[in-house]
Amino acid sequence: MNARPRENKSSRPEAKQSQAGKAAQNRAPTPRRKDPPSPKGKPAVILDEHIVEIVSDSGEGAQRCGQAFGSIAARMGNGIWTVEIIPAEIQPPARSMAGTSGNRVRVSSHRVTNGGDEANLVVAFNEQVLLSRVRVNELKRGCIILLEEKWRSDPDPDIAASYVQVFDELSAGDFSVYEIPMEFECLKYVADPRRGKNMFVLGMLCSIYSLDLEAARQQVSFIFAKKKDKIVQDNIKLLEAGHEWAEGNLDIKFRIPSTKAQEPQIVVNGNISLGLGVLASGMEVCAMYPITPATSVSHYLSDVFRNVGGMVHQAEDEIAACAFAIGASYAGKCAVTITSGPGFALKQETIGLAVMAEIPLVVVNVQRGGPSTGLPTKVEQGDLLFACFGGHGDTPKVVIAAATIEDCFYSVITARKIAETFNTVVVVLTDASLATAQQPFPRPRFSEEWLSPPADQSAIPEGAKPYDWDDTTGLARRFIPGQPNGMHCLTGLAHDRMSRVAYDPAINQEGTRSRSLKLASLQKTLKTPPVFGDEEGDMLVVGWGSTKGAIEEAIERLRAEGLSVSSLHLRFLQPMASGIGDVISRFNKVMTVENNWSDDINDEIIDEENRRYSELAWLLRARYLVDIDCWSEVKGQSLKPGAIAHAIRVRLEGKG
Amino acid sequence: MTTSATRCLLRTLDENYALEDYQSGVPRWCIGCGDNAILAAVQRLCRDEQLPPEKTVFVSGIGCSSRFPHYMHTYGFHGLHGRAFPVAEGIKLKRPDLHVFVVTGDGDCCSIGTAHWIHAIRYNMNMTVLMHDNGIYGLTKNQASPTSPQGLKSNTTPRGAHLEPINPVSVNLGIRNVSFVAQAVDWIPELLHDIIAAAYHHKGFSFVRVVQRCPEYLPDRYDPWVKNPDRMLLLSHADGIQISPELSRVYRHQEKHDPADRNRAREIASVSDPMPVGVLYRNRNMPCYEDLREPDKPYTPSMVGAALNREFDKFTIWPENGEDGGAGKRG
Ligand SMILES: Cc1ncc(C[n+]2csc(CCOP(=O)(O)OP(=O)(O)O)c2C)c(N)n1
Ligand code: SF4
Ligand SMILES: [Mg+2]
């Protein structure tokens, strides 16, 4: 497929040989050079794409380095997808596997839609953070490792021993390990290399991947724009030093061809994209309570929302946040509340109130691993059924799931519009994978149609009823405080068209029917999603949410192998567009691929009568009465196209 | 149609809402329930203040007391048990033009809604709060509440309530930026009205604990105070509630209490016998959350377009030879 630098014989012995000269380096570390030393201007190997990871202790700036690397590549016109590697703890001990912090950047000659498979090149600031990535199988065989070598000569013998042990293990394995005197080199320019080493590494990476140094300088200036000039200059110096050093000392040089986009692109992560969507939707109130991985949306909004007259309210808890948003919606324009699993659970009673009283509300759930506190920083798609069916009694609400980072933006606008058109709750599902990943998408062109209309304050015709449900659509005009003649007492109790509490059997039946009909009315307006691949064939894979890119890449690979597979990705999960049943019926086998739990049919006590399916599989099985299979994982990682392709292949061969 | 048109006309002529204009339906509370007196006092206040019904919202939780908004011909929001405060805050935030009242019970406010209550005091948003404290869960039929006296027998405490009650007035006074706390009783209608009026006129979170009789479950709970006016302590002040000569003849036990005196307010609040009635504390200088959070500029659609484009600029990669210059220029 592409010209990846295969594990080349010369590098490993070379790396090992470096160990021999250890004593000498203890005093004055010298770069491990290739023999002969790589000359400047060495020819670059052309690659289709590479996955690069930069990992460090938290606080050492690997995340910033990775983001900058991704942004520079994107500016050059490469397709990129960046994924944050987030430490499990806030103040993890230094040099610990739990503290691994960093960034994974997939750089490609074409547009990429997901984080891809395993890494091709890793820069590690110590051997422990490196080891943590090896242990979770995130490194490809033959992966190039650039490792800070200062630990080899650490005064603490345990540290030095640990370094040597890991170095030996990895060098003996299927990796090309280069020891890099990062700190030693940085000390030539700054007093505290812990701050700034990341820019040295950024320079190195720019050299390795033949990225434009001037674009890198601009990126560094942008990153430190708010800092003093001295800081900017120091960091640029380090960047240049890293570049210079790699040019002179490393024998690895790649180039990933790029094509500049014709249209302006914006590069943000999914959470910023959501925040931009909130701005663009015309909503003015976002009520929230901090929770990972949703919080950064409100960080961003807190900064910029006031520019449009909006405000972020940090409530005392998620129940209050949701109730606050409901109050704001009730008295004016639709409001939004943003949360993640545990907070979404707390909001259920208030969501039910909004459904019952028909108050527009947008609830964003940036899903994380559950149940309970679960995996706060990691991805899972475990809240689909909860979003659809959570809440006591019949609480019909709209559930949509963003499939891409771009989608995060438009989903909020759509959600607001539906919420106000149908006077109901719209849940937008994203997840930790979209939240922190970055991928360029076409810069949206603002349209006033995105905005919500101002709150209606016109007089209500005398005698009009606050819940005058249309018999066909279930819709009723909403009365907003301030509207003359609209006075009524909204209630979460069963109520009649006048909003009077009513326990009458026929009235409850009518109210429940009307609220339910609104979903059908919306459903009538939805278009069948397009099939990726042929319209019929051996296997259809159905997905939802953040897995779109990975699933489609897997499908592409399998189709290139000649397999008859296609995929379908659903954005509207409740209600689902019509026509999906037809698509399903044109394939011999159908399965969902999801990032949530499903029992493995091959487990000893699992059979068709007790198997618990993945969440979308449950929904599709129930609606279309088709024996739909599923494959899923809950590893807290984004699904990889390679793993998906493998799973599909196995099912096609009938071994699932 | 004609009648309502005439009514409208009359209204614009003399701006006159009558008591009936605020009444809606027949309250379903038990006969003798203190909630009736509170409703009457509030309707009188609305009439006296000529609050436009369409600009007035009563927000409540769940409980007997929380049925209140159904009996007001204004906007009403009868929401969830314990959650009236955050709903009211959301309403007030973007709608300072609305008169917001919160009606809550001792279970609603001091048990399930406690977190919201404490924070509502902190937010100090301009709203009038009526906490109907009957010392029991009425709607769910006789369970001890956090304000039930120790030893009270109820369906969940057949051998008597285990704990000392919470003192809602003291709790308010314990919050640093409390701005208005008062106590009223349902059996002195004149003061009940005046205290609620004082609360209404205060800009900020005005909390009125109304000691409310529940003849259904605690028929003689407050008899010692109802029957013996000397066990009541009426608080008056030139800058607070004035007490009429008629009332003074009955309630001789009085104290001139300056509502600015927080320490004395705490002392008064800590005593339940004699039972204090009046404005305990008021601070007119406490900022309101809705004012602190008021946007510099009001929302306009064109502002959104401009702001959004500025935000996009921060994140945009421009095409090589685009009108905006090369890569990175827009940083
Ligand atoms: C979440 C939830 N829990 C419990 C209830 C049941 N419930 C309704 S009212 C109430 C207590 C009411 O007591 P209080 O607030 O003192 O009001 P009162 O009826 O005495 O006026 C309870 C427990 C409920 N409606 N919702
Ligand atoms: S039960 Fe008590 S509080 Fe409830 S209406 Fe009857 S008297 Fe009033
Ligand atoms: Mg009570």
Side-chain angles (χ1 to χ4, degrees):
Chain A
M1 191 165 87
N2 56 34
R4 285 213 184 83
R6 285 269 146 241
E7 165 59 353
N8 91 35
K9 287 277 174 283
S10 64
S11 67
R12 269 172 51 205
E14 198 280 331
K16 272 181 186 159
Q17 162 211 320
S18 67
Q19 251 175 290
K22 177 159 90 183
Q25 293 137 25
N26 276 350
R27 267 161 284 113
T30 49
R32 230 89 37 273
R33 284 165 206 271
K34 283 292 183 179
D35 196 26
S38 12
K40 290 204 181 188
K42 58 209 156 190
V45 178
I46 306 294
L47 300 176
D48 182 45
E49 66 163 52
H50 240 201
I51 296 172
V52 181
E53 281 196 358
I54 302 108
V55 284
S56 69
D57 285 347
S58 60
E60 287 186 313
Q63 280 191 354
R64 182 171 266 181
C65 173
Q67 271 155 10
F69 177 60
S71 297
I72 299 163
R75 282 178 193 281
M76 304 285 292
N78 286 118
I80 62 150
W81 183 281
T82 69
V83 184
E84 279 178 28
I85 298 162
I86 302 167
E89 294 160 32
I90 293 288
Q91 289 289 349
R95 296 173 33 80
S96 70
M97 306 230 289
T100 308
S101 165
N103 219 300
R104 148 178 292 221
V105 189
R106 184 179 184 189
V107 185
S108 173
S109 56
H110 49 82
R111 194 181 139 77
V112 284
T113 58
N114 64 89
D117 296 320
E118 293 80 19
N120 304 94
L121 182 145
V122 176
V123 186
F125 287 29
N126 67 60
E127 84 289 351
Q128 290 301 315
V129 295
L130 171 63
L131 201 57
S132 77
R133 303 303 290 164
V134 175
R135 293 287 182 258
V136 293
N137 302 319
E138 288 287 9
L139 274 52
K140 204 171 229 117
R141 291 181 55 187
C143 180
I144 299 166
I145 294 172
L146 306 177
L147 179 59
E148 162 70 274
E149 69 158 11
K150 72 167 194 157
W151 311 104
R152 183 180 285 286
S153 52
D154 199 274
D156 180 338
D158 288 348
I159 291 179
S162 149
Y163 176 89
V164 170
Q165 191 192 342
V166 172
F167 177 85
D168 288 352
E169 175 192 327
L170 299 184
S171 305
D174 239 331
F175 304 110
S176 317
V177 190
Y178 290 73
E179 294 187 275
I180 313 286
M182 299 181 198
E183 181 144 327
F184 178 80
E185 288 296 321
C186 289
L187 273 169
K188 295 179 182 166
Y189 306 91
V190 285
D192 177 9
R194 243 183 82 87
R195 324 188 55 169
K197 204 187 268 186
N198 59 342
M199 291 297 122
F200 181 85
V201 169
L202 181 62
M204 260 171 45
L205 289 171
C206 287
S207 155
I208 294 172
Y209 289 98
S210 315
L211 295 181
D212 180 21
L213 193 56
E214 184 48 33
R217 283 193 200 99
Q218 283 175 14
Q219 185 66 30
V220 174
S221 309
F222 172 63
I223 295 173
F224 296 100
K226 288 184 183 162
K227 295 276 161 63
K228 287 198 203 89
D229 202 41
K230 163 95 169 92
I231 296 184
V232 180
Q233 290 317 318
D234 278 355
N235 279 287
I236 289 184
K237 236 187 284 166
L238 287 163
L239 170 88
E240 289 168 346
H243 190 269
E244 172 86 22
W245 187 89
E247 289 287 312
N249 295 286
L250 286 177
D251 67 340
I252 32 180
K253 185 126 187 114
F254 305 122
R255 202 167 68 75
I256 300 169
S258 60
T259 31
K260 284 249 160 79
Q262 293 309 299
E263 291 290 307
Q265 306 278 311
I266 69 170
V267 187
V268 292
N269 67 31
N271 274 1
I272 303 286
S273 185
L274 281 173
L276 289 166
V278 171
L279 287 186
S281 71
M283 290 192 280
E284 292 181 51
V285 174
C286 167
M288 50 70 69
Y289 184 79
I291 186 166
T292 309
T295 322
S296 65
V297 188
S298 30
H299 290 180
Y300 174 65
L301 276 178
S302 300
D303 193 22
V304 302
F305 210 5
R306 57 179 308 143
N307 298 340
V308 300
M311 72 99 83
V312 174
H313 171 63
Q314 179 177 330
E316 57 272 21
D317 59 33
E318 282 91 348
I319 299 173
C322 199
F324 189 100
I326 288 173
S329 275
Y330 160 75
K333 301 203 305 188
C334 181
V336 59
T337 181
I338 300 181
T339 189
S340 185
F344 189 60
L346 284 176
K347 289 177 202 283
Q348 288 306 310
E349 193 195 14
T350 36
I351 289 174
L353 169 66
V355 170
M356 182 59 142
E358 306 192 40
I359 303 168
L361 177 71
V362 176
V363 183
V364 178
N365 176 357
V366 184
Q367 298 165 96
R368 65 192 225 178
S372 189
T373 310
L375 294 170
T377 59
K378 299 197 186 290
V379 62
E380 197 175 297
Q381 300 181 302
D383 300 347
L384 174 57
L385 294 176
F386 185 31
C388 292
F389 304 122
H392 56 288
D394 190 48
T395 44
K397 48 197 161 327
V398 178
V399 179
I400 59 185
T404 62
I405 289 162
E406 180 178 26
D407 239 16
C408 292
F409 176 78
Y410 292 105
S411 294
V412 182
I413 300 171
T414 308
R416 197 283 305 157
K417 209 167 244 179
I418 294 172
E420 279 186 333
T421 308
F422 295 87
N423 291 332
T424 193
V425 177
V426 182
V427 178
V428 178
L429 296 174
T430 72
D431 61 37
S433 170
L434 289 173
T436 57
Q438 294 202 2
Q439 181 207 30
F441 63 87
R443 177 177 164 130
R445 280 177 204 280
F446 173 68
S447 153
E448 287 206 5
E449 279 172 25
W450 292 348
L451 304 178
S452 58
D456 187 356
Q457 290 291 286
S458 64
I460 303 280
E462 200 121 1
K465 299 174 182 145
Y467 292 96
D468 206 5
W469 298 300
D470 182 275
D471 196 49
T472 310
T473 63
L475 286 167
R477 175 184 178 181
R478 176 164 81 101
F479 292 6
I480 298 174
Q483 288 189 283
N485 303 331
M487 286 85 75
H488 69 285
C489 182
L490 172 149
T491 176
L493 286 157
H495 48 267
D496 64 12
R497 288 170 185 252
M498 292 300 290
S499 195
R500 285 181 302 233
V501 175
Y503 302 122
D504 183 293
I507 291 175
N508 192 47
Q509 185 82 7
E510 183 187 40
T512 310
R513 171 176 178 267
S514 302
R515 291 187 296 272
S516 181
L517 280 178
K518 293 194 291 184
L519 285 199
S521 308
L522 167 63
Q523 194 265 354
K524 291 286 175 208
T525 69
L526 303 180
K527 291 197 201 83
T528 314
V531 177
F532 183 82
D534 292 332
E535 293 286 334
E536 54 179 45
D538 290 340
M539 163 84 84
L540 177 74
V541 173
V542 192
W544 65 282
S546 68
T547 50
K548 181 171 192 278
I551 291 175
E552 291 182 355
E553 187 165 333
I555 295 291
E556 240 169 11
R557 290 187 200 172
L558 294 172
R559 291 176 64 82
E561 289 170 19
L563 296 179
S564 163
V565 292
S566 302
S567 68
L568 186 70
H569 210 78
L570 306 185
R571 285 186 165 89
F572 276 85
L573 280 315
Q574 182 165 284
M576 281 188 199
S578 43
I580 293 171
D582 285 347
V583 175
I584 285 176
S585 69
R586 293 196 293 266
F587 290 83
N588 297 332
K589 288 184 177 178
V590 182
M591 68 184 281
T592 69
V593 166
E594 305 179 52
N595 205 334
N596 52 32
W597 180 254
S598 60
D599 288 331
D600 183 347
I601 195 70
N602 297 317
D603 273 356
E604 194 178 338
I605 60 165
I606 299 300
D607 56 39
E608 288 301 339
E609 285 185 276
N610 64 17
R611 183 179 186 200
R612 296 173 66 239
Y613 288 85
S614 273
E615 306 201 2
L616 179 60
W618 277 126
L619 287 177
L620 297 176
R621 291 172 69 90
R623 180 164 302 279
Y624 300 108
L625 304 180
V626 175
D627 187 8
I628 291 169
D629 198 356
C630 55
W631 175 82
S632 68
E633 276 182 354
V634 285
K635 295 182 173 170
Q637 301 165 329
S638 312
L639 299 186
K640 294 190 168 58
I644 297 172
H646 177 74
I648 296 172
R649 232 180 257 120
V650 170
R651 299 295 155 109
L652 270 175
E653 289 160 7
K655 292 188 207 140
Chain B
M1 221 36 220
T2 344
T3 40
S4 73
T6 333
R7 259 166 76 179
C8 277
L9 191 64
L10 279 176
R11 239 171 239 166
T12 40
L13 282 179
D14 56 12
E15 295 269 304
N16 212 358
Y17 291 106
L19 265 186
E20 305 83 76
D21 291 321
Y22 298 99
Q23 293 167 348
S24 175
V26 181
R28 302 262 186 92
W29 292 309
C30 304
I31 294 169
C33 173
D35 289 342
N36 292 292
I38 305 172
L39 179 66
V42 168
Q43 286 172 339
R44 212 184 114 196
L45 170 85
C46 292
R47 193 265 326 264
D48 293 351
E49 300 297 334
Q50 289 291 298
L51 299 186
E54 72 272 15
K55 292 278 196 183
T56 308
V57 189
F58 282 81
V59 184
S60 67
I62 298 289
C64 293
S65 38
S66 289
R67 277 298 184 103
F68 197 101
H70 286 281
Y71 310 133
M72 294 295 303
H73 191 58
T74 61
Y75 278 89
F77 193 113
H78 179 208
L80 295 177
H81 192 29
R83 319 297 171 200
F85 291 123
V87 169
E89 290 151 11
I91 293 172
K92 189 70 191 178
L93 181 82
K94 284 270 167 187
R95 294 297 303 270
D97 59 316
L98 298 177
H99 304 281
V100 177
F101 291 81
V102 173
V103 184
T104 176
D106 44 317
D108 204 56
C109 175
C110 309
S111 193
I112 192 169
T114 309
H116 309 315
W117 169 36
I118 302 294
H119 288 275
I121 301 168
R122 274 184 76 221
Y123 298 132
N124 190 37
M125 298 182 78
N126 188 15
M127 55 182 71
T128 308
V129 181
L130 306 165
M131 200 277 271
H132 298 215
D133 190 353
N134 55 4
I136 196 80
Y137 285 9
L139 189 74
T140 46
K141 301 195 160 79
N142 197 23
Q143 298 86 19
S145 95
T147 61
S148 297
Q150 196 171 24
L152 180 89
K153 291 204 163 91
S154 75
N155 281 334
T156 46
T157 55
R159 282 166 287 282
H162 314 285
L163 302 172
E164 283 274 356
I166 242 178
N167 180 332
V169 174
S170 298
V171 169
N172 271 273
L173 291 170
I175 307 297
R176 198 183 172 89
N177 52 338
V178 58
S179 83
F180 185 102
V181 196
Q183 178 155 288
V185 295
D186 74 34
W187 59 91
I188 315 180
E190 185 182 328
L191 276 185
L192 177 62
H193 169 271
D194 291 355
I195 291 168
I196 295 174
Y200 167 76
H201 284 292
H202 171 74
K203 181 167 188 264
F205 184 82
S206 322
F207 185 94
V208 185
R209 175 196 184 207
V210 187
V211 178
Q212 173 233 324
R213 289 168 298 173
C214 169
E216 182 70 11
Y217 297 117
L218 299 176
D220 0 281
R221 163 92 204 275
Y222 293 113
D223 275 3
W225 291 273
V226 177
K227 292 186 173 148
N228 181 1
D230 285 343
R231 287 178 72 170
M232 305 299 294
L233 171 66
L234 270 47
L235 308 175
S236 69
H237 193 266
D239 195 22
I241 303 288
Q242 321 315 321
I243 295 165
S244 67
E246 293 76 24
L247 264 189
S248 292
R249 273 197 287 280
V250 184
Y251 296 96
R252 282 162 304 186
H253 194 173
Q254 298 188 7
E255 177 177 328
K256 291 245 171 300
H257 167 64
D258 179 358
D261 185 347
R262 186 146 157 184
N263 287 335
R264 181 61 196 142
R266 286 201 172 113
E267 283 166 19
I268 297 171
S270 66
V271 178
S272 51
D273 195 8
M275 184 183 287
V277 172
V279 178
L280 280 95
Y281 182 69
R282 179 177 52 213
N283 180 347
R284 293 195 176 94
N285 301 321
M286 207 49 85
C288 293
Y289 185 70
E290 65 269 36
D291 296 336
L292 297 173
R293 300 302 313 270
E294 201 186 320
D296 311 335
K297 358 172 196 182
Y299 173 99
T300 62
S302 60
M303 211 159 87
V304 177
L308 205 54
N309 278 322
R310 274 198 307 279
E311 287 310 304
F312 288 154
D313 284 350
K314 286 189 197 163
F315 307 113
T316 299
I317 300 171
W318 297 95
E320 183 86 309
N321 297 313
E323 48 186 309
D324 295 281
K329 287 274 162 55
R330 285 305 196 95

